[in-house]
Amino acid sequence: MKVLITGGAGFIGSHLADELLKNKHRVIALDNLSTGRIENVVHLKKNPNFELVVGTVLNEHLVDKFAERVDVIFHLAAAVGVELIVKKPLESLTTNIKGSETVLEMAYRYNKKILISSTSEIYGKNVNGPLKETDDRILGSPLKVRWSYSTAKAVDEMLAYVYWKEKKVPSLIVRLFNTVGPRQTGYYGMVVPRFIEQALTNKRITVYGTGKQTRCFIHVEDVVKTLIKLAEEPKAVGEVFNIGSQEEVSIEQLAKEIIRITKSKSKIEYIPYEKAYEEGFEDMQRRVPDTTKINKLIGFKPTYSLAEIIKDIVMYIKKNMKLPA
Ligand code: UDP
């Protein structure tokens, strides 16, 4: 296959590029390097099957040019990270909605298969669990930035779905639940790399709220292998799939587990949400995926436990960060 990955220098995109190249596919990575980083793909520079194009998904001509040349598009380019979205709401909305519309339109123009990445944020404050693909979305006011992100990604999903329904674009949607792993940065708020960096430098671990809120973390390697399998599965077209682990952990437990594994001297500091993000910020209290649908179709099962994930990221951060001895 020849593949276009939008957001190909990002955390997930770069791992997807690695996996595709390992399987002898050819990859064009389109990335504007806003949250994506050259360092994520620098090891691929000499690979003749890899090409990095620096540009944005908002540039129609660019997307047109590369969509025409490939067999499959993985659309991962998005403004992500709760902190980034709170800080730059307008830019986030534009990238997420207009960007996806542009990429879908080009998939239509050249009749290309397209996988659209979405998020567990779609479910909003629905604390039921495990969450099925057909479950309700429960959201607060659109004037609260967090819900505008959820809404933007929902618009992406609707676009992908109606491009399939009305124009027969072979599209499919994946909802990713807290993907983590090497190369993810804590800079945009993601909790796992943050806590690990704090633990390795013996700084206080910043737990937001009570720390009783829960998440399920999945290793990026498990995610990208699943994305490729889904893109190769004809029955996945026109469908939406949850991808995530079911090993549920509270954020407080996560902090303790990271302190234990890194043998850190860090103490936990509890920070109220309004101080961490903004006044009136609402968090999801629980987020567990139901993965029955994807499991039935392609036999999905994450291979990394939470402890293994943490150890893998600790190793990566130790190698790449200039930590005090
Ligand atoms: N979180 C935290 N401390 C941090 C960053 C995040 O306690 O320094 C919390 C955050 O409030 C949320 C959870 O960790 O409850 C997961 O946050 P993340 O931004 O990684 O993912 P998401 O909220 O999108 O699930």
Side-chain angles (χ1 to χ4, degrees):
M1 286 194 297
K2 199 164 181 195
V3 173
L4 171 65
I5 308 175
T6 71
F11 157 55
I12 302 177
S14 64
H15 283 281
L16 179 61
D18 285 344
E19 189 62 26
L20 286 162
L21 292 165
K22 230 198 279 171
N23 297 324
K24 305 283 173 246
H25 299 297
R26 281 183 291 163
V27 174
I28 301 171
L30 174 66
D31 203 302
N32 69 349
L33 302 178
S34 57
T35 56
R37 292 180 301 167
I38 287 279
E39 301 92 85
N40 289 346
V41 289
V42 76
H43 60 288
L44 300 175
K45 221 168 110 187
K46 293 208 175 99
N47 189 323
N49 288 328
F50 179 77
E51 186 184 343
L52 172 67
V53 179
V54 178
T56 160
V57 282
L58 301 173
N59 182 337
E60 221 173 278
H61 297 292
L62 208 56
V63 180
D64 179 302
K65 182 169 149 189
F66 293 104
E68 190 181 6
R69 292 186 194 172
V70 297
D71 306 303
V72 182
I73 303 167
F74 288 87
H75 177 47
L76 303 183
V80 291
V82 178
E83 284 199 12
L84 176 74
I85 285 146
V86 169
K87 274 188 207 142
K88 295 184 174 174
L90 185 56
E91 201 181 306
S92 304
L93 272 172
T94 318
T95 310
N96 291 343
I97 298 179
K98 275 198 199 146
S100 299
E101 196 185 355
T102 306
V103 180
L104 276 160
E105 183 58 28
M106 296 310 150
Y108 169 54
R109 185 169 292 173
Y110 300 110
N111 193 28
K112 298 298 161 81
K113 192 170 207 180
I114 178 165
L115 179 147
I116 297 268
S117 66
S118 183
T119 163
S120 54
E121 291 269 333
I122 286 289
Y123 299 103
K125 291 186 277 188
N126 190 335
V127 290
N128 294 329
L131 294 158
K132 275 204 203 58
E133 286 84 353
T134 46
D135 279 348
D136 287 342
R137 308 178 54 221
I138 303 176
L139 304 180
S141 160
L143 303 192
K144 284 194 177 154
V145 171
R146 176 162 211 156
W147 309 128
S148 77
Y149 173 62
S150 175
T151 303
K153 294 305 283 187
V155 171
D156 289 357
E157 288 199 13
M158 289 171 199
L159 281 167
Y161 189 64
V162 295
Y163 264 98
W164 157 242
K165 275 275 180 210
E166 284 181 29
K167 297 184 185 278
K168 298 289 165 259
V169 174
S171 73
L172 59 134
I173 303 157
V174 293
R175 293 184 185 151
L176 306 181
F177 283 65
N178 294 87
T179 308
V180 294
R183 298 183 201 153
Q184 187 178 43
T185 149
Y187 188 75
Y188 303 105
M190 275 68 168
V191 68
V192 173
R194 261 224 184 149
F195 282 7
I196 293 177
E197 279 168 23
Q198 290 166 339
L200 290 175
T201 50
N202 293 312
K203 293 203 179 102
R204 273 181 290 190
I205 310 265
T206 54
V207 169
Y208 297 163
T210 61
K212 302 285 183 235
Q213 70 273 30
T214 68
R215 295 291 187 273
C216 300
F217 297 96
I218 182 167
H219 196 289
V220 65
E221 237 173 66
D222 282 328
V223 169
V224 297
K225 284 185 178 151
T226 308
L227 297 184
I228 297 170
K229 266 195 186 170
L230 271 182
E232 288 172 343
E233 171 53 64
K235 287 195 195 116
V237 168
E239 299 287 339
V240 54
F241 300 93
N242 287 336
I243 300 181
S245 147
Q246 291 191 312
E247 191 180 344
E248 189 174 6
V249 65
S250 76
I251 297 305
E252 188 181 45
Q253 279 167 322
L254 174 74
K256 288 181 182 161
E257 185 68 358
I258 288 175
I259 290 173
R260 187 185 67 79
I261 289 175
T262 56
K263 301 188 178 71
S264 167
K265 294 191 187 72
S266 293
K267 296 270 170 290
I268 294 178
E269 180 183 5
Y270 293 85
I271 301 174
Y273 286 119
E274 58 272 20
K275 245 173 116 185
Y277 298 108
E278 60 178 3
E279 199 61 49
F281 181 85
E282 293 176 279
D283 198 12
M284 277 85 170
Q285 286 311 301
R286 183 168 190 228
R287 216 149 52 168
V288 184
D290 182 315
T291 49
T292 312
K293 185 173 173 185
I294 190 166
N295 191 20
K296 261 197 189 146
L297 188 67
I298 58 163
F300 164 81
K301 199 168 183 283
T303 61
Y304 282 81
S305 68
L306 179 62
E308 287 166 342
I309 293 176
I310 295 172
K311 284 178 196 158
D312 195 34
I313 303 174
V314 167
M315 232 163 50
Y316 171 82
I317 293 182
K318 272 189 174 166
K319 219 164 70 189
N320 289 278
M321 251 176 58
K322 284 180 195 71
L323 294 169

